[in-house]
């Protein structure tokens, strides 16, 4: 039996009765087991997945229909799943099975999706290589000596390796887009607030946003339509109707103006990647779009501003991990202080500790104005740059990451160079804008991603443009060759 | 010498708002529940959960602001205040630092000498309460109860305008009265619904610079507040007069030992690292909302006292006493309307009722005598059915629940006052005849003895004789 | 930006983290590196620029004052390292 590789394909095959959800789920569970060495999943929920698949099959037999009925998906292990382990990639939560579901998990379940398991990630979503997971690094399916990117590296690698057709991810400074680029898949970070953050373990609250990671723009549109929407439990979720993303996929690109952000094509971009980006832009031109160079004068300060704002928010968000009410607690604490300090120092990994320290420092007495306030001002200027750009163009394109997947360990001792991986993605994060990465070719056998950045709540246009591109090209269908053990 | 030092006090009063649910979660705020039975995932600071703001805190905070003549912020916002403590599950408290809901304002507090003084209020802001650490010995551990975590608080910060412990208490009492009046808080101090932190410093008389202050935390009774401040004043004076310096620190009042001592857990200098709460957006309220709150506000104590004075022609001090508690004020107004005699009502409510309340240690809501009953009783005094003395006995009977109806009681115990001359005259004559010596003295000009005769007649009549009537008869018989 | 060892210790205290000597030195140098990266933004002229603490140009929605959360103490406390009689336990706190 051959199974469709995309969500859209599976929806129609399941509807046509080509195979059952149980068969499809079993296929994925077997493949996950066979490709265990990629370390994409922290937890595989085989039993409950099969049970859910069987329920989906019975529901279908009884004449019920739901948008994703019986489609197996995976969740990044940052989303709380009721009574299922939710670790956020941290030792701190090695035993944490929350009594509630994240809103995203709830919505996808109600839409009929079957959860295969929880995907690996950088601890508390801090990282660009997935090497910061307490549960070991994820390997890039295109080259297992290389990183899949991060922090949603498990989700990206799982989709690329065919260990699920779609997965959820979260993006704070590039954590959906960068791994999507490095693994050759389509990843969308929606507008800040488009998707509820309820039940999504917080990294930086004013930046965190959940989104779909899929093989195609079509699948991303299918997923986002379910994930998006206002949630009374998330005060920062946007109260605006969710459009039909699938129906707007056919909107032609012709007549649109696409901005090329010159600041993104500057020094630091790998030459082979640059060529692929230029090729992709020509495809858009051939589809009838007008190309216009755009300057975003403050975007080069994105990384500095981000590395103040995100750690500051994280330093507070991670104070709740204290060994008192849940999660890891050190052995035989001698005093309250000992309990706090050892539980946190033993339960939290080095990169996360580093960011907590930087965050606490930038907020501390005497430094707040020079760091935190300054960064929030720079953030405003960056946001204003995007606003003026969107007076001239419909969306922006550029690279997602400075180079394709790097080797495991290559940057782990140099966090500043690691931080610069997100140089192209952080701007949209700070401004809260929707941004998508899709594969536009290979460089030395490794995928290259193109980033599309859109106006506030203009996900439909980004998905449409990506779909138009994918209707004309085949890069999204390229698959890594994997040795099945 | 005490007179060499001027005492400077500012109070931070934490008032729990009497909402049904918490400020950021749907858990109940009911007092006295089983430990941690009213702490939901949000109150416990679980991973992935988010706060959602309770709308009910805004009309309450705004009413308080209007009650002190403050300006109400059209845009207020929450911040995070970061510190580790077991009763603070998230490791930060959500509070308002930069943009509090209430800014400025003042109150006029009554002083012991009958004058009053204006105390300025800096701000009042919304925040979440912390849980409780229980330090009884749980095998060398402390127990944490997070039921209180997330209860809405209004923190009311005064300017350092208070000059003595008794002024601080008068101010705290005033705020206590105001928050109860405005239904902002139930003000149950024993349950911790209102707690005070006192910032105390001393400076040389005439100096305009403030001295180093200490903060005495979490005082939850007026009596303790007075004692804690007085203790702190004498402690600081002792240090200053022996040439020492005051250390800026947080102290805890221990009512058992009647002393304040430094809090060990706050020894290290705190750096709270405030920053805007990113899980919440700024809260906007418009003029229409503020006006709606204003229109639904009850009469404030000050306004009520002024009205009582004018409407019922009663003394200012009486009007103020009756206005301290809205329930007592309503009670008085009902009684006055029922018996038609405000002056008599003041006397009975202020003196007789309050004395019995104090004696039995109960509060106004638990009064065993209804305004209808007291009104009926006073009506019977007024129409001379009974004497005041008998009325007090009947009040006691009502108080003890021995009867529900004043008139039935009068009838059953035949307490109707005797006013007709034909019954009283023989009685008076008998008393005069029985006390010839006093009668002679009276006739010789010692008219003070009138009271003696009236008293004897009253006693003889079992309190039922109409004292005015007896008065007249005695006078005419001896005249 | 140079960051002193004393500062690092002080920040660790605020963050309730503990480092042994070698880790403290590593932390000190990597914090310095990150702050150097961050330092670039000081060249931006931000005079009069309103800080942006949230990308949403919106105001807070308010929740009705209703009790919606049932008692789930047993469910929550099953996840706790140590409880007794419904209380979370921590080493003795001295106030």
């Amino acid at each position: 039996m051959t199974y469709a590789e995309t969500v859209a394909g599976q929806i129609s095959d399941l509807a046509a009765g080509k195979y059952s959800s149980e068969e499809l789920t079993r296929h994925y569970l077997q493949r996950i087991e066979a490709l265990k060495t990629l370390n994409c999943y922290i937890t595989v929920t085989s039993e409950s997945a099969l049970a859910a698949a069987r329920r989906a099959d019975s529901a279908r037999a009884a004449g019920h229909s739901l948008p994703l009925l019986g489609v197996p998906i995976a969740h990044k292990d940052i989303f709380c799943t009721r009574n299922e382990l939710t670790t956020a990639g941290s030792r701190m939560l090695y035993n944490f099975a929350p009594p509630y579901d994240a809103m995203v998990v709830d919505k996808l379940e109600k839409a009929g999706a079957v959860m295969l398991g929880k995907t690996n990630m950088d601890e508390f979503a801090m990282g660009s290589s997935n090497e910061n997971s307490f549960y070991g690094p994820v390997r890039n399916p295109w080259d297992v000596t290389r990183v899949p990117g991060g922090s949603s590296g498990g989700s990206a690698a799982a989709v690329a390796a065919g260990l699920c057709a779609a997965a959820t991810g979260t993006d704070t400074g590039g954590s959906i887009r960068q791994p999507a680029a490095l693994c050759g898949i389509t990843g969308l970070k929606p507008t800040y607030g488009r998707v509820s953050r309820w039940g999504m373990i917080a990294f930086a609250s004013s930046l965190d946003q959940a989104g779909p990671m899929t093989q195609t723009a079509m699948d991303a549109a299918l997923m986002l339509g379910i994930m998006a929407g206002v949630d009374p439990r998330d005060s920062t979720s946007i109260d605006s109707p969710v459009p039909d993303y699938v129906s707007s996929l056919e909107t032609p690109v012709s007549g649109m103006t696409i901005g090329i952000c010159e600041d993104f094509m500057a020094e630091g971009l790998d030459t082979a990647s640059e060529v692929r980006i230029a090729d992709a832009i020509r495809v858009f031109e051939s589809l009838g779009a007008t190309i216009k160079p755009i300057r975003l004068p403050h975007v080069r300060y994105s990384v500095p501003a981000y590395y103040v704002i995100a750690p500051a928010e994280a330093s507070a968000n991670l104070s709740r991990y204290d060994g008192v009410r849940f999660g890891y607690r050190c052995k035989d604490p001698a005093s309250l202080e000992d309990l706090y300090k050892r539980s946190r120092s033993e339960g939290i990994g080095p990169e996360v500790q580093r960011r907590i320290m930087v965050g606490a420092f930038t907020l501390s007495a005497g430094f707040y104005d020079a760091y935190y306030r300054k960064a929030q001002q720079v953030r405003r200027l960056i946001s204003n740059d995007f606003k003026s750009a969107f007076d001239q163009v419909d969306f922006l394109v550029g690279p997602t990451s400075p180079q394709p997947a790097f080797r495991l360990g290559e940057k782990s001792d140099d966090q500043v160079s690691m931080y610069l991986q997100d140089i192209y993605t952080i701007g949209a994060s700070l401004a809260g804008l929707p941004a998508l990465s899709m594969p536009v070719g290979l460089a030395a056998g490794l995928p290259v991603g193109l980033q599309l950045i859109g106006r506030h709540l203009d996900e439909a246009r980004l998905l449409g443009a990506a779909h138009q591109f994918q209707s004309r090209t085949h890069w999204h269908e390229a698959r890594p060759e994997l040795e099945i053990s | 010498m005490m007179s060499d030092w001027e005492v400077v006090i500012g109070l931070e009063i934490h008032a729990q708002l009497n909402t049904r649910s918490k400020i950021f979660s749907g858990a109940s705020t009911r007092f006295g529940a089983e430990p941690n039975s009213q702490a939901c995932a949000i109150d416990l600071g679980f991973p992935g959960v988010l706060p959602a703001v309770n709308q009910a805190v805004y009309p309450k905070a705004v009413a308080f602001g209007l009650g002190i003549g403050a300006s109400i912020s059209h845009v207020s916002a929450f911040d995070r205040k970061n510190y580790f403590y077991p009763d603070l599950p998230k490791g930060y408290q959500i509070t308002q630092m930069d943009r509090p809901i209430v800014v400025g304002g003042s109150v006029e507090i009554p002083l012991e000498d009958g004058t009053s003084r204006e105390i300025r209020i800096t701000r009042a802001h919304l925040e979440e309460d912390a849980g409780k650490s229980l330090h009884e010995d749980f095998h060398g551990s402390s127990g944490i109860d997070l039921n209180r975590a997330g209860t809405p608080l209004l923190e009311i910060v005064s300017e350092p305008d208070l000059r003595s412990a008794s002024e601080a208490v008068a101010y705290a009492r005033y705020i206590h009265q105001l928050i109860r009046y405005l239904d902002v808080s139930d003000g149950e101090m024993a349950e911790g619904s209102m707690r005070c932190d006192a910032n105390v410093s001393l400076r040389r008389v005439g100096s305009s610079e403030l001295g180093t202050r200490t903060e005495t935390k979490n005082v939850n009774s007026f009596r303790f507040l007075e004692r804690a401040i007085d203790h702190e004043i004498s402690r600081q004076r002792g240090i200053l007069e022996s040439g020492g310096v005051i250390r800026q620190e947080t102290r805890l009042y221990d009512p058992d030992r009647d002393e304040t001592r430094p809090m060990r857990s706050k020894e290290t200098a705190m750096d709270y690292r405030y920053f805007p709460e990113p899980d919440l957006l700024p809260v906007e309220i418009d003029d229409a909302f503020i006006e709606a709150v204003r229109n639904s506000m009850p009469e404030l104590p000050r306004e009520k006292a002024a009205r009582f004075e004018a409407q019922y022609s009663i003394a200012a001090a009486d009007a103020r006493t009756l206005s301290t508690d809205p329930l007592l004020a309503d009670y008085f107004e009902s009684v006055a309307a029922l018996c038609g005699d405000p002056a008599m009502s003041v006397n009975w409510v202020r003196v007789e009722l309050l004395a019995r309340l104090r004696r039995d240690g109960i509060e106004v809501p638990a009064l065993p005598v209804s305004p209808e009953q007291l009104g009926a009783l006073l009506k019977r005094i007024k129409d001379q059915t009974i004497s005041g003395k008998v009325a007090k006995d009947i009040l006691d009977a009502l108080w003890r629940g021995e009867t529900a109806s004043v008139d039935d009681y009068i009838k059953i115990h035949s307490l109707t006052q005797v006013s007709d001359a034909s019954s009283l005259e023989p009685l008076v004559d008998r008393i005069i005849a029985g006390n010839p010596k006093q009668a002679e003295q009276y006739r010789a000009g010692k008219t003070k003895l009138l009271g003696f005769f009236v008293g004897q007649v009253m006693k003889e009549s079992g309190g039922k004789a109409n004292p005015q009537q007896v008065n007249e008869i005695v006078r005419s018989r001896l005249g | 930006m140079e960051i002193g060892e004393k500062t690092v210790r002080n920040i660790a205290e605020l963050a309730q983290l503990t480092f042994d000597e070698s880790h403290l030195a590593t932390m000190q140098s990597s914090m310095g590196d990150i702050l150097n990266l961050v330092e670039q933004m000081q060249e931006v002229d931000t005079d009069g620029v309103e800080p942006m603490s949230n990308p949403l140009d919106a105001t807070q929605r308010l929740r009705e004052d209703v009790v919606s959360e049932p008692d789930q103490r047993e469910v929550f406390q099953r996840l706790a390292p140590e409880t007794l009689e419904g209380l979370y336990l921590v080493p003795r706190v001295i106030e």
Side-chain angles (χ1 to χ4, degrees), chain B residues 268-287:
Chain B
T268 46
M270 276 295 168
D271 181 349
Y272 291 123
R273 290 158 288 143
Y274 288 95
F275 73 101
E277 164 56 280
D279 285 330
L280 297 171
L281 299 169
V283 175
E284 243 178 48
I285 50 177
D286 57 17
D287 287 329

Side-chain angles (χ1 to χ4, degrees), chain A residues 97 99 192 206 230 234-239 301 303-304 308 323-326 329 335-337 339-341 344-345 353-354 356-357 360-361 370-371 373-377 379-381 383 415 419 430-432, chain C residues 1 3 7-8 11-19 27 30-31 33-35 37-46 49-56 60-61 75-76 79-82 88-91 93:
Chain A
Y192 177 79
S206 79
V230 68
D234 177 1
S235 301
T236 62
S237 64
I238 298 172
D239 191 1
Y301 302 107
V303 173
V308 173
V324 177
R325 297 166 314 286
F326 49 79
R329 174 180 229 169
S335 64
L336 179 67
E337 198 183 338
L339 165 71
Y340 281 162
K341 288 184 175 170
R344 289 170 61 73
S345 298
Q353 289 190 24
R354 188 151 43 224
I356 290 173
M357 290 289 289
F361 173 77
Y371 288 101
R373 192 183 149 82
K374 180 86 181 179
Q376 299 285 37
Q377 290 175 311
R379 181 179 196 177
R380 170 84 57 195
L381 294 173
S383 173
Q415 70 272 4
Y419 293 176
L430 291 171
Chain C
M1 153 132 194
I3 177 164
T7 307
V8 179
I11 298 297
E13 202 58 42
L14 291 176
Q16 292 287 295
L17 291 168
T18 178
F19 305 105
M27 182 57 69
S30 63
M31 282 176 80
D33 290 347
I34 296 164
L35 293 171
L37 170 75
V38 160
E39 209 61 27
Q40 291 169 25
M41 70 177 181
Q42 300 304 341
E43 66 195 51
V44 185
D45 178 6
T46 53
V49 177
E50 177 69 16
M52 177 172 163
S53 48
N54 197 289
L56 294 181
Q60 179 64 36
R61 288 184 292 268
V75 172
F76 290 125
L79 298 161
E82 203 186 352
Y88 292 98
L89 291 191
V90 296
V93 180

Side-chain angles (χ1 to χ4, degrees), chain A residues 80-232:
Chain A
C80 288
T81 42
R82 187 190 303 267
N83 300 330
E84 296 285 0
L85 199 61
T86 301
T87 69
S90 183
R91 180 188 196 190
M92 188 47 97
L93 295 176
Y94 76 104
N95 60 355
F96 182 64
Y100 45 86
D101 275 327
M103 189 57 163
V104 162
V105 171
D106 189 43
K107 283 188 159 197
L108 285 165
E109 188 184 314
K110 289 204 169 90
V114 169
M115 180 176 81
L116 293 166
K118 309 290 294 289
T119 60
N120 204 343
M121 57 181 284
D122 282 304
E123 183 176 11
F124 289 112
M126 298 181 199
S128 306
S129 69
N130 226 295
E131 292 165 296
N132 298 334
S133 170
F134 178 69
Y135 305 91
V138 176
R139 289 166 186 279
N140 192 317
W142 292 86
D143 177 348
V144 295
T145 67
R146 291 175 187 271
V147 303
S151 66
S152 312
S155 287
V159 172
L163 308 185
C164 59
T168 54
T170 62
D171 189 314
T172 304
S175 280
I176 286 176
R177 292 161 285 163
Q178 186 255 13
L182 269 52
C183 290
I185 66 160
T186 302
L188 171 68
K189 179 200 94 75
T191 304
Y192 177 79
R194 178 76 283 188
V195 176
S196 168
R197 293 186 291 120
W198 173 265
M200 190 175 116
I201 294 175
F203 162 13
S205 310
S206 79
L207 295 156
D208 294 344
Q209 182 57 200
M213 303 183 76
T214 54
Q215 289 179 353
T216 63
M218 164 73 87
D219 285 1
L222 284 164
M223 290 282 286
L224 183 64
I226 290 154
M227 294 166 74
V230 68
D231 177 0

Side-chain angles (χ1 to χ4, degrees), chain B residues 147-160:
Chain B
N147 278 350
R148 200 178 69 176
T151 300
L153 289 179
L154 189 66
E155 178 173 340
I156 303 154
V157 183
S158 85
E159 290 287 310

Side-chain angles (χ1 to χ4, degrees), chain A residues 236-258:
Chain A
T236 62
S237 64
I238 298 172
D239 191 1
S240 162
V242 178
D244 181 346
Y245 296 113
V246 174
S247 74
S248 56
L249 291 174
E250 298 306 332
T251 311
V253 176
S254 72
M256 286 190 199
T257 309
I258 302 176

Side-chain angles (χ1 to χ4, degrees), chain B residues 19-23 25-27 35-37 40-41 44 46 52-56 84-85 134-135 138 140-145 252 261 264 273 278 280-284, chain C residues 10 13-16 50 53-54 56 58-73 76-77 79 82 84-95:
Chain B
T19 55
R20 284 183 283 269
S21 65
K22 293 187 176 171
I23 184 167
S25 85
N36 291 308
S37 63
C40 71
L44 294 170
F46 261 57
V53 185
N54 185 344
Q55 63 87 20
F84 281 87
Y85 204 67
L134 308 171
H135 306 309
F138 297 101
S141 300
S142 288
I144 311 298
D145 175 8
L252 207 61
R261 57 183 159 82
R264 281 204 232 177
R273 290 158 288 143
L280 297 171
L281 299 169
V283 175
E284 243 178 48
Chain C
N10 180 39
E13 202 58 42
L14 291 176
Q16 292 287 295
E50 177 69 16
S53 48
N54 197 289
L56 294 181
T59 54
Q60 179 64 36
R61 288 184 292 268
L62 301 174
R63 172 179 69 77
E64 283 302 305
D65 181 22
V66 284
V67 175
S68 56
E69 295 295 327
D71 175 9
Q72 289 198 79
R73 184 175 80 183
F76 290 125
Q77 295 203 339
L79 298 161
E82 203 186 352
L84 183 70
E85 293 162 14
L87 297 163
Y88 292 98
L89 291 191
V90 296
R92 191 84 188 260
V93 180
I94 303 148
E95 278 189 330

